[in-house]
């Protein structure tokens, strides 16, 4: 007799989790603006700020001379490395978000879907196979009528279907971890150096002896 199996339907679960339905042909569109676009816009803004500061400093350098102007230019110039860092970090985040979205869509396309065939050419088995009248009557265990049952094949198809889904999600999790590890670590700029208060020296005149 064929033993009943304990079925774990991961292929169906993954499709429902990612798209909301087993029959869904694609992932739902993201809500609101795309995250990658927002980060790209942020990088562009930081670049525009840097360029505006550079232009203003050149104009100021041409119009003003002296120690006060040089001190002001140095103070403004200290901002530029931070802006460059913000711009680079925003670009890296935008690239990571794009890569993650591509990995998600690839993983979903690799999940077995209703109507698709497995690599062995048999149809994907997303639902646990059910026994039919051949098995109910015990004809599957008869050497003469056993050929009438494909229950064992459908059991193996179900296992293969879920193995393919598990492999796709394992790759997707690995890509997600790689994307997360590559994200820049945002650190607050170091505090501006504080100037110690100027100490005034008192000049004491020579006292007269009485």
């Amino acid at each position: 007799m064929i033993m009943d199996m304990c079925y774990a339907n991961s292929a169906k679960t993954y499709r429902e989790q990612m798209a909301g339905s087993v029959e869904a042909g694609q992932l739902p569109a993201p809500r609101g603006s795309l995250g990658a676009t927002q980060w790209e816009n942020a990088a562009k803004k930081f670049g525009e700020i840097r360029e505006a500061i550079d232009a203003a400093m050149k104009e100021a350098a041409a119009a003003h001379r002296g120690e006060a102007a040089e001190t002001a230019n140095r103070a403004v110039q200290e901002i530029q490395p931070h802006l460059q860092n913000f711009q680079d970090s925003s670009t890296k985040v935008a690239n990571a978000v794009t890569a993650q979205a591509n990995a998600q869509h690839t993983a979903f396309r690799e999940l077995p879907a209703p109507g698709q065939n497995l690599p062995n050419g048999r149809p994907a088995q997303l639902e646990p196979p059910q026994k039919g009248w051949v098995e109910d009557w015990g004809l599957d265990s008869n050497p003469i009528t056993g050929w009438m049952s494909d229950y064992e094949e459908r059991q193996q198809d179900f296992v293969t279907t879920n193995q393919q889904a598990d492999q796709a999600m394992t790759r997707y999790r690995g890509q997600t971890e790689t994307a997360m590890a590559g994200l820049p670590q945002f650190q607050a700029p170091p505090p501006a150096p504080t100037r110690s208060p100027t100490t005034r020296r008192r000049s004491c005149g020579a006292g007269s002896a009485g």
Side-chain angles (χ1 to χ4, degrees):
M1 288 292 293
I2 300 174
M3 298 295 293
D4 288 334
M5 298 179 62
C6 180
Y7 296 108
N9 199 342
S10 56
K12 183 178 179 180
T13 300
Y14 293 145
R15 294 190 67 85
E16 290 176 342
Q17 290 176 345
M18 297 184 73
S21 171
V22 178
E23 291 78 16
Q26 60 184 5
L27 292 176
R31 298 178 181 177
S33 300
L34 291 175
T37 301
Q38 292 177 329
W39 282 105
E40 290 170 356
N41 291 338
K44 181 179 179 181
K45 291 295 183 183
F46 285 126
E48 292 173 351
I49 294 173
R50 288 181 53 252
E51 293 174 358
I53 291 177
D54 282 338
M57 290 182 62
K58 290 177 181 179
E59 292 179 2
H64 301 283
R65 295 287 187 274
E67 183 178 351
E70 292 177 0
T71 301
N73 285 339
R74 283 196 299 270
V76 175
Q77 195 67 264
E78 292 177 356
I79 302 175
Q80 293 292 64
H82 299 304
L83 291 174
Q84 181 67 62
N85 182 41
F86 296 153
Q87 182 180 3
D88 294 343
S89 297
S90 299
T91 300
K92 290 179 181 179
V93 173
N95 294 338
V97 172
T98 300
Q100 179 66 11
N102 292 336
Q104 185 182 42
H105 283 269
T106 298
F108 183 75
R109 287 193 299 268
E110 291 177 350
L111 293 177
Q116 291 183 351
N117 288 336
L118 298 172
N120 60 9
R122 289 181 58 86
Q125 183 80 34
L126 273 76
E127 296 293 345
Q130 301 297 321
K131 293 182 179 180
W133 63 271
V134 175
E135 292 77 30
D136 292 339
W137 290 2
L139 300 177
D140 55 316
S141 58
N142 189 305
I144 299 177
T145 58
W147 63 270
M148 300 172 63
S149 173
D150 65 346
Y151 181 64
E152 287 186 343
E153 287 81 359
R154 287 185 287 117
Q155 279 185 322
Q156 184 56 50
D157 291 341
F158 185 79
V159 172
T160 303
T161 297
N162 288 286
Q163 286 178 342
Q164 180 176 326
D166 290 335
Q167 291 169 359
M169 293 306 293
T170 297
R171 286 190 294 270
Y172 174 58
R173 293 189 187 102
Q175 293 166 336
T176 299
E177 292 175 359
T178 300
M180 293 295 292
L183 288 175
Q185 300 295 322
F186 289 97
Q187 297 180 351
T194 57
R195 296 182 179 180
S196 57
T198 304
T199 304
R200 295 184 178 181
R201 295 183 178 179
R202 295 177 60 187
S203 57
C204 301
S208 57

